[in-house]
Amino acid sequence: MRSLLIVFAVVGVAVARPGIFRTPLAYSTFAAPVVHSTVVAPAPVAYAGHLGVSSQYHAQDELGQYSYGYAGGPSAKSELKTFDGVTRGGYSYVDAEGKVQNVNYVADGLGFRVAATNLPVAPQPIPAEPLVAPSPVEDTIEVASAKAAHFAAHAEAKVAAEAAPEVPVDSVVVEPAAVSIAAEVPVFSKAVVAPYTLPAAVHAPIAYSAPIAASFVAPAPIAYAGHLGVSSQYHAQDELGQYSYGYAGGPSAKSELKTFDGVTRGGYSYVDANGQVQNVNYVADPVFGFRVAATNLPVAPVAHAAPVLDAVPDSVEVAAAKAAHFAAHEEAKARLTA
C-alpha cells in the first residue's frame, strides 16, 4: 500500500510541473538558400512560450573579424565577418502564427542578398485572352469605281504611247526666245530712260563644270558557297552574373562576354544579301551606354566645293541706265534737303 502511494505522488508532481519534460526548440542558424519561386509555407508549430536563452557566444580580433550568436527561446541567430569584409549570417524566429521563419543573408561587394521563408511571393499572372486581328478595310463603291477608271485611263495612255512614232532627241532643237527687259527709273526728275534690249551675248548659257563623281567605291562581293552549318558553340555562367557565350560556323558567328564590373562586350559577323562579310563590335557599360563600330554603318559622301561663277559684266546700255538712275536719285535727294 505504501509503495502504491509513492507512485501516485510521483505522477502528480509530473502533471503539476509539465515543463520538466519540455525541451528547447531547435532552430537552424545557417539554412540552405531558399528558392523564392518554390517557397511553401511550413505547417504551424505549436509554441509553448519563452523558455529563455540557453547558449550564446561572441569572439572578435584586431583585424575586424568577429562572430557571435545565440540559441534558445523563440529565436536564434549567428553572424560571422571574415578578413575579406564579407558578412554572412542567419536567424530564425517563431512568428505570430506560430510558424518558424528562417532567414539567411550575405553582404559583400555585390551588396546585400537575402533568402528567407517570409519573403512575399508574387501572384500568378492572369492569362490574357488572345487578340483578334481586325478585318481588312474593303473599298467602297466610289473608291472601286475610281480605281477602275484610273486603271482604264492608264491602259489607254499606254496603248497611245506605244502607237505614237518615236522622235530622236537629237533632232529636236529648242530656240530660246528673245528676252526684253524695260528698265524703269523712279520719277525723281523729268528725265525718262527708254526701254532697251539686252544684247545677244547676254543670252549665252553660263558654263558650269561637270559634276564630280563620288570617291566612294563599293567593295567587291565575296563569293559565298552557302550555309555550312554550325561548327562550334559554347556557353558559361556563374553565380556572380558573369557569362560568356558564342558560336561560329555557317554564314554567321557571334561572341559575347559580361564581366564582374557589369560591362558587356561582344561582336558578330554575317554575310549580307550582296555576298559581303559584315562585322559588328559593340560595348555596353553603365557609364557611357551602348557603343558600336561596324562595317555596315552608312558613310556620308564627301562634300566637294561648288564651282565659282564668273560675274557677268554690264553692257553699255546697262551702265548708262545705272548712271542715269544714280544721277536722278542724287538730284531728288538734293531737292528734298534744300
Side-chain angles (χ1 to χ4, degrees), residues 71-111:
S75 62
K77 181 179 181 181
S78 63
E79 184 173 302
L80 169 68
K81 183 176 182 181
T82 54
F83 179 74
D84 54 0
V86 179
T87 303
R88 302 176 178 86
Y91 59 90
S92 62
Y93 65 95
V94 179
D95 61 8
E97 299 177 355
K99 302 176 183 179
V100 177
Q101 303 291 352
N102 294 301
V103 180
N104 293 278
Y105 56 88
V106 176
D108 53 17
L110 299 178

mmCIF file of all heavy atoms in Angstrom, residues 71-111:
data_model
loop_
_atom_site.group_PDB
_atom_site.id
_atom_site.type_symbol
_atom_site.label_atom_id
_atom_site.label_comp_id
_atom_site.label_asym_id
_atom_site.label_seq_id
_atom_site.Cartn_x
_atom_site.Cartn_y
_atom_site.Cartn_z
ATOM 1 N N ALA A 71 21.206 30.967 -29.109
ATOM 2 C CA ALA A 71 20.191 29.980 -29.433
ATOM 3 C C ALA A 71 19.382 29.708 -28.189
ATOM 4 O O ALA A 71 19.918 29.684 -27.065
ATOM 5 C CB ALA A 71 20.815 28.687 -29.956
ATOM 6 N N GLY A 72 18.087 29.537 -28.389
ATOM 7 C CA GLY A 72 17.199 29.259 -27.282
ATOM 8 C C GLY A 72 15.990 30.149 -27.313
ATOM 9 O O GLY A 72 15.985 31.215 -27.927
ATOM 10 N N GLY A 73 14.906 29.747 -26.671
ATOM 11 C CA GLY A 73 13.688 30.535 -26.679
ATOM 12 C C GLY A 73 13.028 30.499 -28.043
ATOM 13 O O GLY A 73 13.185 29.549 -28.808
ATOM 14 N N PRO A 74 12.323 31.566 -28.418
ATOM 15 C CA PRO A 74 11.620 31.566 -29.709
ATOM 16 C C PRO A 74 12.481 31.997 -30.877
ATOM 17 O O PRO A 74 11.973 32.169 -31.970
ATOM 18 C CB PRO A 74 10.497 32.577 -29.470
ATOM 19 C CG PRO A 74 11.107 33.562 -28.535
ATOM 20 C CD PRO A 74 12.021 32.778 -27.632
ATOM 21 N N SER A 75 13.775 32.258 -30.681
ATOM 22 C CA SER A 75 14.613 32.740 -31.773
ATOM 23 C C SER A 75 16.047 32.275 -31.582
ATOM 24 O O SER A 75 16.450 31.855 -30.497
ATOM 25 C CB SER A 75 14.587 34.278 -31.861
ATOM 26 O OG SER A 75 15.114 34.833 -30.665
ATOM 27 N N ALA A 76 16.806 32.385 -32.687
ATOM 28 C CA ALA A 76 18.227 32.052 -32.677
ATOM 29 C C ALA A 76 18.901 32.844 -33.787
ATOM 30 O O ALA A 76 18.278 33.173 -34.793
ATOM 31 C CB ALA A 76 18.446 30.550 -32.872
ATOM 32 N N LYS A 77 20.167 33.171 -33.613
ATOM 33 C CA LYS A 77 20.892 33.956 -34.598
ATOM 34 C C LYS A 77 22.379 33.646 -34.509
ATOM 35 O O LYS A 77 22.906 33.338 -33.426
ATOM 36 C CB LYS A 77 20.670 35.453 -34.388
ATOM 37 C CG LYS A 77 21.404 36.314 -35.411
ATOM 38 C CD LYS A 77 21.168 37.791 -35.204
ATOM 39 C CE LYS A 77 21.911 38.602 -36.262
ATOM 40 N NZ LYS A 77 21.735 40.061 -36.094
ATOM 41 N N SER A 78 23.059 33.799 -35.658
ATOM 42 C CA SER A 78 24.521 33.706 -35.723
ATOM 43 C C SER A 78 25.000 34.572 -36.875
ATOM 44 O O SER A 78 24.340 34.669 -37.907
ATOM 45 C CB SER A 78 24.965 32.253 -35.929
ATOM 46 O OG SER A 78 24.503 31.762 -37.164
ATOM 47 N N GLU A 79 26.142 35.266 -36.699
ATOM 48 C CA GLU A 79 26.697 36.135 -37.723
ATOM 49 C C GLU A 79 28.210 36.043 -37.678
ATOM 50 O O GLU A 79 28.818 35.939 -36.598
ATOM 51 C CB GLU A 79 26.239 37.584 -37.521
ATOM 52 C CG GLU A 79 26.716 38.519 -38.627
ATOM 53 C CD GLU A 79 26.112 39.908 -38.518
ATOM 54 O OE1 GLU A 79 24.868 39.992 -38.527
ATOM 55 O OE2 GLU A 79 26.865 40.881 -38.408
ATOM 56 N N LEU A 80 28.838 36.122 -38.875
ATOM 57 C CA LEU A 80 30.283 35.957 -38.998
ATOM 58 C C LEU A 80 30.796 36.941 -40.029
ATOM 59 O O LEU A 80 30.223 37.076 -41.109
ATOM 60 C CB LEU A 80 30.621 34.519 -39.442
ATOM 61 C CG LEU A 80 32.068 34.241 -39.863
ATOM 62 C CD1 LEU A 80 32.991 34.343 -38.663
ATOM 63 C CD2 LEU A 80 32.170 32.863 -40.514
ATOM 64 N N LYS A 81 31.859 37.677 -39.722
ATOM 65 C CA LYS A 81 32.529 38.569 -40.659
ATOM 66 C C LYS A 81 33.978 38.128 -40.778
ATOM 67 O O LYS A 81 34.686 37.997 -39.791
ATOM 68 C CB LYS A 81 32.455 40.017 -40.183
ATOM 69 C CG LYS A 81 33.079 40.999 -41.179
ATOM 70 C CD LYS A 81 32.908 42.428 -40.735
ATOM 71 C CE LYS A 81 33.494 43.399 -41.779
ATOM 72 N NZ LYS A 81 33.353 44.811 -41.358
ATOM 73 N N THR A 82 34.437 37.927 -42.030
ATOM 74 C CA THR A 82 35.780 37.437 -42.283
ATOM 75 C C THR A 82 36.709 38.583 -42.691
ATOM 76 O O THR A 82 36.291 39.735 -42.825
ATOM 77 C CB THR A 82 35.746 36.358 -43.373
ATOM 78 O OG1 THR A 82 35.089 36.891 -44.520
ATOM 79 C CG2 THR A 82 34.982 35.136 -42.891
ATOM 80 N N PHE A 83 38.002 38.224 -42.916
ATOM 81 C CA PHE A 83 39.027 39.222 -43.196
ATOM 82 C C PHE A 83 38.778 39.968 -44.502
ATOM 83 O O PHE A 83 39.169 41.129 -44.649
ATOM 84 C CB PHE A 83 40.392 38.526 -43.226
ATOM 85 C CG PHE A 83 41.541 39.445 -43.541
ATOM 86 C CD1 PHE A 83 42.004 40.332 -42.591
ATOM 87 C CD2 PHE A 83 42.131 39.452 -44.793
ATOM 88 C CE1 PHE A 83 43.050 41.205 -42.864
ATOM 89 C CE2 PHE A 83 43.170 40.319 -45.079
ATOM 90 C CZ PHE A 83 43.636 41.193 -44.122
ATOM 91 N N ASP A 84 38.107 39.326 -45.492
ATOM 92 C CA ASP A 84 37.851 39.966 -46.771
ATOM 93 C C ASP A 84 36.666 40.922 -46.749
ATOM 94 O O ASP A 84 36.257 41.438 -47.795
ATOM 95 C CB ASP A 84 37.626 38.908 -47.855
ATOM 96 C CG ASP A 84 36.529 37.927 -47.477
ATOM 97 O OD1 ASP A 84 35.951 38.071 -46.385
ATOM 98 O OD2 ASP A 84 36.260 36.996 -48.266
ATOM 99 N N GLY A 85 36.054 41.161 -45.587
ATOM 100 C CA GLY A 85 34.953 42.107 -45.470
ATOM 101 C C GLY A 85 33.591 41.531 -45.752
ATOM 102 O O GLY A 85 32.609 42.286 -45.779
ATOM 103 N N VAL A 86 33.485 40.222 -45.969
ATOM 104 C CA VAL A 86 32.206 39.595 -46.272
ATOM 105 C C VAL A 86 31.521 39.205 -44.967
ATOM 106 O O VAL A 86 32.141 38.610 -44.078
ATOM 107 C CB VAL A 86 32.396 38.366 -47.171
ATOM 108 C CG1 VAL A 86 31.062 37.698 -47.462
ATOM 109 C CG2 VAL A 86 33.091 38.762 -48.465
ATOM 110 N N THR A 87 30.251 39.557 -44.848
ATOM 111 C CA THR A 87 29.453 39.237 -43.669
ATOM 112 C C THR A 87 28.406 38.209 -44.050
ATOM 113 O O THR A 87 27.673 38.391 -45.034
ATOM 114 C CB THR A 87 28.774 40.482 -43.104
ATOM 115 O OG1 THR A 87 29.768 41.470 -42.805
ATOM 116 C CG2 THR A 87 27.982 40.158 -41.848
ATOM 117 N N ARG A 88 28.342 37.125 -43.283
ATOM 118 C CA ARG A 88 27.355 36.070 -43.501
ATOM 119 C C ARG A 88 26.631 35.812 -42.194
ATOM 120 O O ARG A 88 27.234 35.882 -41.112
ATOM 121 C CB ARG A 88 28.019 34.790 -43.998
ATOM 122 C CG ARG A 88 28.810 34.935 -45.292
ATOM 123 C CD ARG A 88 29.515 33.637 -45.644
ATOM 124 N NE ARG A 88 30.250 33.727 -46.893
ATOM 125 C CZ ARG A 88 31.511 34.187 -46.986
ATOM 126 N NH1 ARG A 88 32.154 34.570 -45.885
ATOM 127 N NH2 ARG A 88 32.100 34.252 -48.161
ATOM 128 N N GLY A 89 25.373 35.524 -42.298
ATOM 129 C CA GLY A 89 24.624 35.248 -41.082
ATOM 130 C C GLY A 89 23.261 34.700 -41.370
ATOM 131 O O GLY A 89 22.840 34.549 -42.516
ATOM 132 N N GLY A 90 22.539 34.405 -40.310
ATOM 133 C CA GLY A 90 21.187 33.907 -40.421
ATOM 134 C C GLY A 90 20.513 33.907 -39.074
ATOM 135 O O GLY A 90 21.169 33.950 -38.023
ATOM 136 N N TYR A 91 19.200 33.927 -39.101
ATOM 137 C CA TYR A 91 18.440 33.872 -37.856
ATOM 138 C C TYR A 91 17.112 33.197 -38.125
ATOM 139 O O TYR A 91 16.660 33.089 -39.274
ATOM 140 C CB TYR A 91 18.233 35.265 -37.264
ATOM 141 C CG TYR A 91 17.502 36.232 -38.158
ATOM 142 C CD1 TYR A 91 16.108 36.340 -38.124
ATOM 143 C CD2 TYR A 91 18.194 37.056 -39.040
ATOM 144 C CE1 TYR A 91 15.444 37.227 -38.945
ATOM 145 C CE2 TYR A 91 17.531 37.947 -39.866
ATOM 146 C CZ TYR A 91 16.143 38.037 -39.807
ATOM 147 O OH TYR A 91 15.484 38.922 -40.618
ATOM 148 N N SER A 92 16.462 32.753 -37.056
ATOM 149 C CA SER A 92 15.154 32.113 -37.132
ATOM 150 C C SER A 92 14.329 32.565 -35.949
ATOM 151 O O SER A 92 14.864 32.901 -34.893
ATOM 152 C CB SER A 92 15.294 30.588 -37.156
ATOM 153 O OG SER A 92 15.900 30.136 -35.966
ATOM 154 N N TYR A 93 13.021 32.582 -36.150
ATOM 155 C CA TYR A 93 12.122 33.007 -35.087
ATOM 156 C C TYR A 93 10.748 32.405 -35.333
ATOM 157 O O TYR A 93 10.449 31.919 -36.423
ATOM 158 C CB TYR A 93 12.032 34.528 -35.010
ATOM 159 C CG TYR A 93 11.412 35.164 -36.230
ATOM 160 C CD1 TYR A 93 10.048 35.469 -36.272
ATOM 161 C CD2 TYR A 93 12.179 35.432 -37.362
ATOM 162 C CE1 TYR A 93 9.481 36.028 -37.398
ATOM 163 C CE2 TYR A 93 11.612 35.996 -38.495
ATOM 164 C CZ TYR A 93 10.262 36.295 -38.502
ATOM 165 O OH TYR A 93 9.693 36.857 -39.620
ATOM 166 N N VAL A 94 9.918 32.479 -34.304
ATOM 167 C CA VAL A 94 8.545 31.996 -34.392
ATOM 168 C C VAL A 94 7.650 33.212 -34.560
ATOM 169 O O VAL A 94 7.665 34.115 -33.712
ATOM 170 C CB VAL A 94 8.149 31.201 -33.136
ATOM 171 C CG1 VAL A 94 6.702 30.715 -33.240
ATOM 172 C CG2 VAL A 94 9.085 30.021 -32.934
ATOM 173 N N ASP A 95 6.884 33.278 -35.662
ATOM 174 C CA ASP A 95 6.065 34.460 -35.924
ATOM 175 C C ASP A 95 4.763 34.405 -35.145
ATOM 176 O O ASP A 95 4.546 33.503 -34.312
ATOM 177 C CB ASP A 95 5.811 34.609 -37.428
ATOM 178 C CG ASP A 95 5.055 33.427 -38.010
ATOM 179 O OD1 ASP A 95 4.587 32.562 -37.240
ATOM 180 O OD2 ASP A 95 4.925 33.361 -39.259
ATOM 181 N N ALA A 96 3.871 35.379 -35.413
ATOM 182 C CA ALA A 96 2.624 35.484 -34.662
ATOM 183 C C ALA A 96 1.691 34.317 -34.926
ATOM 184 O O ALA A 96 0.789 34.052 -34.113
ATOM 185 C CB ALA A 96 1.919 36.798 -35.014
ATOM 186 N N GLU A 97 1.856 33.616 -36.043
ATOM 187 C CA GLU A 97 1.006 32.476 -36.347
ATOM 188 C C GLU A 97 1.586 31.157 -35.853
ATOM 189 O O GLU A 97 1.066 30.096 -36.166
ATOM 190 C CB GLU A 97 0.779 32.394 -37.862
ATOM 191 C CG GLU A 97 0.079 33.611 -38.422
ATOM 192 C CD GLU A 97 -0.076 33.544 -39.925
ATOM 193 O OE1 GLU A 97 0.453 32.574 -40.518
ATOM 194 O OE2 GLU A 97 -0.701 34.447 -40.510
ATOM 195 N N GLY A 98 2.698 31.252 -35.131
ATOM 196 C CA GLY A 98 3.315 30.038 -34.620
ATOM 197 C C GLY A 98 4.161 29.288 -35.621
ATOM 198 O O GLY A 98 4.466 28.111 -35.417
ATOM 199 N N LYS A 99 4.550 29.962 -36.712
ATOM 200 C CA LYS A 99 5.376 29.330 -37.738
ATOM 201 C C LYS A 99 6.834 29.727 -37.558
ATOM 202 O O LYS A 99 7.124 30.873 -37.219
ATOM 203 C CB LYS A 99 4.918 29.741 -39.134
ATOM 204 C CG LYS A 99 3.480 29.406 -39.436
ATOM 205 C CD LYS A 99 3.085 29.928 -40.801
ATOM 206 C CE LYS A 99 1.627 29.665 -41.110
ATOM 207 N NZ LYS A 99 1.248 30.208 -42.439
ATOM 208 N N VAL A 100 7.754 28.788 -37.810
ATOM 209 C CA VAL A 100 9.187 29.059 -37.723
ATOM 210 C C VAL A 100 9.646 29.660 -39.059
ATOM 211 O O VAL A 100 9.487 29.055 -40.113
ATOM 212 C CB VAL A 100 9.976 27.780 -37.410
ATOM 213 C CG1 VAL A 100 11.476 28.081 -37.396
ATOM 214 C CG2 VAL A 100 9.535 27.196 -36.083
ATOM 215 N N GLN A 101 10.203 30.881 -39.010
ATOM 216 C CA GLN A 101 10.712 31.568 -40.183
ATOM 217 C C GLN A 101 12.236 31.574 -40.142
ATOM 218 O O GLN A 101 12.823 31.891 -39.109
ATOM 219 C CB GLN A 101 10.190 33.004 -40.247
ATOM 220 C CG GLN A 101 8.670 33.117 -40.233
ATOM 221 C CD GLN A 101 8.020 32.607 -41.490
ATOM 222 O OE1 GLN A 101 8.689 32.280 -42.472
ATOM 223 N NE2 GLN A 101 6.697 32.527 -41.479
ATOM 224 N N ASN A 102 12.874 31.228 -41.283
ATOM 225 C CA ASN A 102 14.329 31.177 -41.399
ATOM 226 C C ASN A 102 14.802 32.226 -42.400
ATOM 227 O O ASN A 102 14.217 32.377 -43.478
ATOM 228 C CB ASN A 102 14.782 29.790 -41.872
ATOM 229 C CG ASN A 102 14.490 28.722 -40.842
ATOM 230 O OD1 ASN A 102 14.963 28.786 -39.722
ATOM 231 N ND2 ASN A 102 13.668 27.742 -41.214
ATOM 232 N N VAL A 103 15.869 32.944 -42.044
ATOM 233 C CA VAL A 103 16.441 33.989 -42.891
ATOM 234 C C VAL A 103 17.945 33.778 -42.954
ATOM 235 O O VAL A 103 18.597 33.598 -41.920
ATOM 236 C CB VAL A 103 16.136 35.404 -42.355
ATOM 237 C CG1 VAL A 103 16.760 36.458 -43.263
ATOM 238 C CG2 VAL A 103 14.633 35.619 -42.246
ATOM 239 N N ASN A 104 18.523 33.800 -44.171
ATOM 240 C CA ASN A 104 19.963 33.725 -44.385
ATOM 241 C C ASN A 104 20.379 34.884 -45.281
ATOM 242 O O ASN A 104 19.692 35.189 -46.258
ATOM 243 C CB ASN A 104 20.352 32.394 -45.047
ATOM 244 C CG ASN A 104 20.115 31.212 -44.141
ATOM 245 O OD1 ASN A 104 20.919 30.892 -43.287
ATOM 246 N ND2 ASN A 104 18.958 30.552 -44.316
ATOM 247 N N TYR A 105 21.497 35.552 -44.960
ATOM 248 C CA TYR A 105 21.903 36.729 -45.713
ATOM 249 C C TYR A 105 23.415 36.743 -45.894
ATOM 250 O O TYR A 105 24.176 36.122 -45.128
ATOM 251 C CB TYR A 105 21.440 38.016 -45.015
ATOM 252 C CG TYR A 105 21.904 38.153 -43.577
ATOM 253 C CD1 TYR A 105 23.137 38.730 -43.260
ATOM 254 C CD2 TYR A 105 21.110 37.702 -42.532
ATOM 255 C CE1 TYR A 105 23.560 38.852 -41.949
ATOM 256 C CE2 TYR A 105 21.520 37.817 -41.214
ATOM 257 C CZ TYR A 105 22.742 38.397 -40.922
ATOM 258 O OH TYR A 105 23.162 38.519 -39.620
ATOM 259 N N VAL A 106 23.859 37.477 -46.925
ATOM 260 C CA VAL A 106 25.271 37.688 -47.248
ATOM 261 C C VAL A 106 25.426 39.134 -47.670
ATOM 262 O O VAL A 106 24.606 39.659 -48.442
ATOM 263 C CB VAL A 106 25.750 36.753 -48.382
ATOM 264 C CG1 VAL A 106 27.199 37.069 -48.759
ATOM 265 C CG2 VAL A 106 25.611 35.303 -47.981
ATOM 266 N N ALA A 107 26.468 39.828 -47.176
ATOM 267 C CA ALA A 107 26.767 41.208 -47.557
ATOM 268 C C ALA A 107 28.226 41.281 -47.990
ATOM 269 O O ALA A 107 29.127 40.977 -47.211
ATOM 270 C CB ALA A 107 26.505 42.173 -46.397
ATOM 271 N N ASP A 108 28.463 41.656 -49.267
ATOM 272 C CA ASP A 108 29.824 41.757 -49.800
ATOM 273 C C ASP A 108 29.863 42.848 -50.851
ATOM 274 O O ASP A 108 29.029 43.761 -50.847
ATOM 275 C CB ASP A 108 30.281 40.408 -50.369
ATOM 276 C CG ASP A 108 29.280 39.835 -51.377
ATOM 277 O OD1 ASP A 108 28.430 40.614 -51.861
ATOM 278 O OD2 ASP A 108 29.352 38.640 -51.675
ATOM 279 N N GLY A 109 30.825 42.768 -51.766
ATOM 280 C CA GLY A 109 30.956 43.787 -52.792
ATOM 281 C C GLY A 109 29.759 43.892 -53.718
ATOM 282 O O GLY A 109 29.557 44.919 -54.359
ATOM 283 N N LEU A 110 28.971 42.855 -53.828
ATOM 284 C CA LEU A 110 27.775 42.887 -54.667
ATOM 285 C C LEU A 110 26.552 43.421 -53.940
ATOM 286 O O LEU A 110 25.468 43.470 -54.509
ATOM 287 C CB LEU A 110 27.463 41.476 -55.188
ATOM 288 C CG LEU A 110 28.546 40.828 -56.060
ATOM 289 C CD1 LEU A 110 28.131 39.422 -56.466
ATOM 290 C CD2 LEU A 110 28.819 41.679 -57.292
ATOM 291 N N GLY A 111 26.707 43.807 -52.674
ATOM 292 C CA GLY A 111 25.586 44.346 -51.914
ATOM 293 C C GLY A 111 25.039 43.328 -50.938
ATOM 294 O O GLY A 111 25.690 42.335 -50.586
#
